[in-house]
Amino acid sequence: GARTGGDAMSYLLDANVFMSAKNLHYGLDFCPAFWDWLVHKGNTGSVFSIDKVADEIEAGQDELTDWARDFGQVLFRRTPSTLVPQFTQVSTWATGQQYTPAAINTFLQVADFYLLAHGLAGNHTIVTHERHANSPGRIMIPNACLGLGVRFMTPYQMLRIEQARFVLGPHA
C-alpha cells in the first residue's frame, strides 16, 4: 500500500554486499564511512538485512563478523513466522522454473530464499551484486526478483539514490 511521508525506499541487503565491501571497495580499516552509513541508515530503518545473512557473515569468522555482531540489533532483522505465504510464493516460483533440482534445493536453504520472502512481504528493494543470468544450475537473486515482482539494484545504485557522501575528514 501507499507509504506515509513520501515514497521512501527501504533496502534489504544481500550477504555479498557486506562481503564485497569488506574485501574490496570499502575495507573496514580504510573506509569506515561506508559502515557508519549502514548503521546510521539501519537506525532510521531504511537499510537493513536479515538474520540468515547475519548467519552467513558469522560463518566467515573475520573482522566483518565482529562488526556484524556489534551492530546486529540494528541491521539484521529476525524472520517472523508471518512470512509463510511469501515463502510459499517464492518456493512455488522457483520450482515452476527450468532450474535443476539441485539448484532449487540449494536456493531454498540459503539466505536468498529468505531475502525474497522479506522483500515480498515488506515491499523492500533487494540490494545485491548478483547479476541476472539464465543458469539452470543456480538461481540468481535478480532472476527471482524479476519473476516475483521484487525491486532490486546494486549497492552503488542505492548509494547514489540515497546521496551517500563519503568525504575525507581531518587528517589524523
Side-chain angles (χ1 to χ4, degrees):
R3 277 198 206 79
T4 51
D7 191 28
M9 273 214 252
S10 50
Y11 303 93
L12 187 52
L13 276 49
D14 181 17
N16 67 25
V17 174
F18 297 96
M19 292 168 183
S20 294
K22 177 203 63 128
N23 294 326
L24 300 165
H25 313 93
Y26 304 121
L28 285 144
D29 51 349
F30 66 81
C31 190
F34 173 78
W35 306 94
D36 292 347
W37 185 85
L38 288 182
V39 174
H40 168 66
K41 288 291 186 179
N43 280 318
T44 68
S46 60
V47 171
F48 55 94
S49 191
I50 59 167
D51 46 11
K52 287 285 175 181
V53 166
D55 293 346
E56 291 187 3
I57 290 170
E58 185 74 33
Q61 294 292 315
D62 56 16
E63 70 269 28
L64 180 56
T65 311
D66 298 335
W67 179 86
R69 224 175 264 148
D70 291 342
F71 300 105
Q73 298 309 107
V74 171
L75 283 167
F76 300 99
R77 296 191 181 175
R78 291 171 184 274
T79 298
S81 52
T82 50
L83 295 195
V84 170
Q86 287 80 9
F87 279 118
T88 304
Q89 205 179 329
V90 178
S91 57
T92 302
W93 172 82
T95 51
Q97 309 303 305
Q98 303 299 307
Y99 292 109
T100 64
I104 294 163
N105 205 27
T106 300
F107 176 72
L108 298 178
Q109 287 173 29
V110 294
D112 301 5
F113 177 49
Y114 293 80
L115 279 169
L116 281 145
H118 277 265
L120 274 172
N123 194 27
H124 309 301
T125 299
I126 296 182
V127 180
T128 182
H129 281 292
E130 282 189 16
R131 306 257 179 212
H132 183 271
N134 294 318
S135 48
R138 174 146 186 251
I139 300 178
M140 307 300 275
I141 288 174
N143 293 63
C145 284
L146 288 167
L148 290 156
V150 174
R151 282 178 304 198
F152 67 95
M153 65 178 60
T154 68
Y156 309 112
Q157 289 169 306
M158 169 186 71
L159 291 167
R160 288 214 166 89
I161 290 168
E162 292 301 310
Q163 299 177 327
R165 303 262 300 145
F166 304 147
V167 294
L168 285 176
H171 295 291

